[in-house]
């Protein structure tokens, strides 16, 4: 499916998620290429965020959900007993729809997890903070007020701060759950630039409702649609293939709302 | 429209009246204590030791004893309450265990203080053979205020948005790290508020310490654990008010009550900078 040089970062097989008797995701099978940007698109309620949370086992925080199937990352099923979920989440970072800031300054927020996890020495903190803020495209805007409270930043800046904080943990994969849905166009553009700059350096998986954004950013796209109330993978493939020549009627119907080739 | 406006005004007036009545009650109680006790307050009353069965001398060792008991209670209640809060919120989820802990805390909060006193008597005096000991009194008071502190802490923990905990988990932090780096700092204001409420209650309690820690006279600063009683303001007031027919002693009891009220207010004022700082930090979240 991928180019010859590309190998999968994740292999999702038979993934089904249930909440009691309700099936949220049904029998999802697809691969996520390493080092590329994968967009996950689909209507609201299709289970895109649930799928994302299965990749780093954040779904474990919702004990009412039952998960079946396998998600292989780095050659292992993430739900195997030997896999430490906290270590997995450090390697597979996530950025949420709403930015979360922790108490303290901008720089404290950037190195928050790296400091707690012992990934950086006290002396190396400023260097790490600068590098991650540059990678997140925020450095120029905050370099003169690094000790200011993080909450003084705009929501768009807080979202980039969240990206910087995730990058500070040096994850191999960055998951993004609708990272620009609550942002203005300028902030959205800044975040998109940040995501684009990660191409080739990290595996990035972006859940988005914005089809134009998915088309602009993604190398690879997976489309999930609700069928009889449960989310099913319609198709996954190269971005241009899914957008221009969708195989399934459901994908065509979904893209037909706004998607043009 | 007119009726709605009238109802709104009526509601506002009723709320203001209830608020005013509460404030009046507080000021009346404090006013009476200060008014009746002011005559007894003097430097010698604060710095001298008790003489003449309470009719003469001061309450220095009563203040010291009360401070020792309250400080010990804080040292006992604080770690237990933190552990209960973090265990309940960080580890037990929304399940049966958490509900059981909260039910037990609320039940313990309703247990009369005399029951804690009797339990302390059975454990420390009768079983451990400590006789009367400041440590026994401090532990009993500490356990008595645990529900107050823990419930206030839990309320604040519950107010932390789920996405904050999710964000910390998403960074790969272990539950213990989330507890210490996210939950504790963000719920610290609840802990301090609960502790102040609890200590204010502990400072004024007589029943839990009368069997375990305090005597009426003859104690100074304790040097050991067993058979090391202290003097305490609430017990002093209790004995003088109940048993003394000497007007001078009763005047001293009012003075001691005024000192006790001042201690409680002093405690709240001393903690004010800490509460403000925690509040400011919490606002930044």
């Amino acid at each position: 499916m991928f180019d010859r040089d590309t190998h999968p970062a994740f292999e999702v097989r038979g993934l089904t998620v249930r909440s009691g008797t309700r099936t949220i995701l049904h029998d999802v099978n697809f691969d996520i290429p390493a080092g590329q940007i994968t967009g996950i698109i689909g209507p609201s309620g299709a289970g895109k965020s649930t799928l994302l949370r299965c990749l780093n086992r954040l779904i474990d925080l919702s004990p009412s959900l039952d998960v079946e199937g396998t998600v292989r990352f780095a050659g292992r099923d993430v739900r195997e007993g030997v896999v430490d979920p906290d270590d997995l989440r450090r390697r597979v970072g996530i950025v949420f729809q709403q930015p979360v800031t922790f108490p303290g300054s901008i720089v404290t927020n950037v190195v928050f997890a790296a400091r707690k996890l012992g990934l950086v020495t006290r002396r190396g903190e400023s260097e790490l903070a600068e590098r991650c803020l540059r990678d997140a495209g925020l450095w120029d805007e905050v370099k003169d007020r690094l000790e200011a409270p993080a909450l003084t930043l705009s929501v768009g800046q807080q979202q980039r701060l969240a990206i910087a904080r995730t990058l500070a943990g040096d994850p191999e994969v960055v998951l993004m759950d609708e990272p620009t849905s609550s942002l203005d166009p300028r902030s959205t553009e800044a975040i998109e630039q940040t995501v684009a700059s990660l191409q080739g350096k990290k595996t990035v998986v972006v859940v988005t409702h914005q089809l134009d954004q998915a088309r602009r950013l993604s190398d690879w796209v997976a489309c999930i649609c609700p069928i009889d109330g449960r989310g099913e993978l319609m198709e996954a493939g190269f971005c241009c293939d899914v957008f221009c020549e969708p195989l399934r009627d459901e994908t065509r119907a979904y893209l037909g709302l706004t998607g043009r080739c | 429209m007119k009726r709605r406006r009238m109802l709104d005004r009526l509601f506002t007036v009723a709320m203001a009246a209830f608020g005013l009545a509460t404030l009046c009650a507080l000021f009346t109680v404090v006013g009476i204590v200060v008014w009746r006790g002011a005559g007894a307050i003097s430097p010698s009353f604060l710095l001298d030791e008790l003489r003449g069965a309470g009719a003469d001398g001061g309450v220095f060792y009563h203040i010291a004893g009360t401070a020792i008991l309250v400080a010990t209670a804080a040292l006992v209640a604080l770690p237990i309450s933190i552990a209960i809060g973090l265990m309940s919120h960080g580890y037990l989820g929304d399940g049966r265990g958490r509900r059981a802990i909260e039910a037990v805390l609320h039940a313990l909060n309703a247990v009369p203080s005399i029951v804690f006193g009797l339990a302390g008597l059975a454990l420390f005096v009768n079983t451990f053979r400590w006789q009367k000991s400041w440590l026994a009194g401090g532990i009993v008071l500490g356990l008595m205020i645990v529900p107050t502190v823990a419930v206030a802490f839990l309320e604040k923990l519950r107010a932390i948005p789920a996405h904050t905990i999710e964000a910390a988990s998403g960074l790969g932090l272990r539950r213990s790290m989330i507890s210490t780096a996210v939950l504790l700092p963000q719920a610290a204001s609840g802990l301090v508020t609960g502790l102040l409420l609890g200590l204010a209650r502990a400072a004024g309690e007589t029943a839990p310490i009368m069997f375990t820690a305090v005597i009426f006279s003859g104690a100074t600063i304790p040097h050991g654990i067993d058979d090391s009683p202290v003097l305490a303001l609430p017990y002093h007031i209790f004995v003088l008010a109940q048993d003394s027919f000497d007007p001078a002693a009763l005047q001293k009891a009012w003075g001691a009550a005024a000192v006790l009220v001042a201690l409680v207010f002093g405690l709240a004022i001393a903690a004010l900078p800490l509460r403000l700082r925690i509040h400011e930090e919490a606002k930044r979240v």
Side-chain angles (χ1 to χ4, degrees), chain A residues 3-251:
Chain A
D3 294 335
R4 194 175 296 167
D5 299 334
T6 309
H7 64 276
F10 288 95
E11 295 165 75
V12 181
R13 297 289 178 268
L15 184 68
T16 296
V17 181
R18 289 192 190 88
S19 173
T21 53
R22 192 171 84 86
T23 303
I24 297 169
L25 272 178
H26 177 68
D27 194 25
V28 173
N29 295 279
F30 79 124
D31 291 348
I32 293 172
Q36 297 193 13
I37 300 173
T38 299
I40 298 180
I41 58 171
S44 294
K48 304 184 295 295
S49 299
T50 304
L51 169 63
L52 208 64
R53 281 164 163 73
C54 289
L55 300 180
N56 68 349
R57 282 184 60 179
L58 212 55
I59 196 108
D60 292 6
L61 300 187
S62 310
S64 59
L65 299 182
D66 291 323
V67 182
E68 282 173 22
T70 60
V71 176
R72 292 184 75 80
F73 172 67
R76 269 218 167 95
D77 180 6
V78 297
R79 291 169 61 227
E80 263 179 33
V82 290
V83 175
D84 176 3
D86 297 315
D87 185 51
L88 174 74
R89 288 175 201 140
R90 192 201 61 73
R91 295 173 67 188
V92 183
I94 187 164
V95 176
F96 298 93
Q97 186 177 347
Q98 297 290 337
V100 175
T101 53
F102 295 110
S105 67
I106 293 168
V107 72
T108 305
N109 263 270
V110 177
V111 299
F112 181 77
R115 184 189 285 172
K116 301 288 171 203
L117 295 169
L119 303 173
V120 63
T121 59
R122 283 262 173 201
R123 206 177 275 180
E125 283 182 2
S126 0
E127 193 189 325
L128 176 72
E130 181 178 342
R131 179 159 48 81
C132 295
L133 285 168
R134 279 187 192 283
D135 288 346
L138 192 59
W139 174 252
D140 289 336
E141 293 165 55
V142 301
K143 64 183 176 193
D144 300 322
R145 50 178 176 138
L146 291 170
E147 294 303 327
L151 209 72
T152 57
L153 298 175
S154 70
V155 179
Q157 289 172 324
Q158 284 180 36
Q159 188 64 301
R160 278 180 281 155
L161 182 70
I163 294 173
R165 186 173 57 213
T166 301
L167 294 176
D170 194 24
E172 294 151 50
V173 181
V174 179
L175 310 176
M176 296 185 166
D177 190 0
E178 299 182 45
T180 62
S181 64
S182 56
L183 303 183
D184 59 77
R186 207 170 145 197
S187 301
T188 299
E189 192 186 339
I191 301 257
E192 284 186 12
Q193 281 174 6
T194 302
V195 175
S197 72
L198 296 174
Q199 193 172 34
K201 297 181 203 164
K202 308 269 182 203
T203 301
V204 181
V205 185
V206 187
V207 164
T208 179
H209 276 298
Q210 297 158 272
L211 296 177
D212 288 342
Q213 183 177 65
R215 202 193 313 229
R216 275 194 302 273
L217 288 176
S218 312
D219 305 299
W220 192 260
V221 168
C223 180
I224 296 177
C225 290
I227 305 289
D228 297 333
R230 60 191 194 184
E232 291 185 20
L233 180 77
M234 295 297 103
E235 55 195 291
F238 287 114
C239 182
C240 52
D241 291 345
V242 173
F243 275 99
C244 295
E245 295 170 37
L247 301 173
R248 298 275 299 255
D249 290 341
E250 290 85 353
T251 315

Side-chain angles (χ1 to χ4, degrees), chain B residues 111-138:
Chain B
V111 171
S113 55
I114 188 79
V115 175
F116 280 96
L118 287 171
L121 173 75
L123 184 68
F124 298 111
V125 180
N126 296 343
T127 309
F128 292 174
R129 305 275 173 207
W130 281 7
Q131 304 308 320
K132 285 196 173 179
S133 161
W134 61 273
L135 184 59

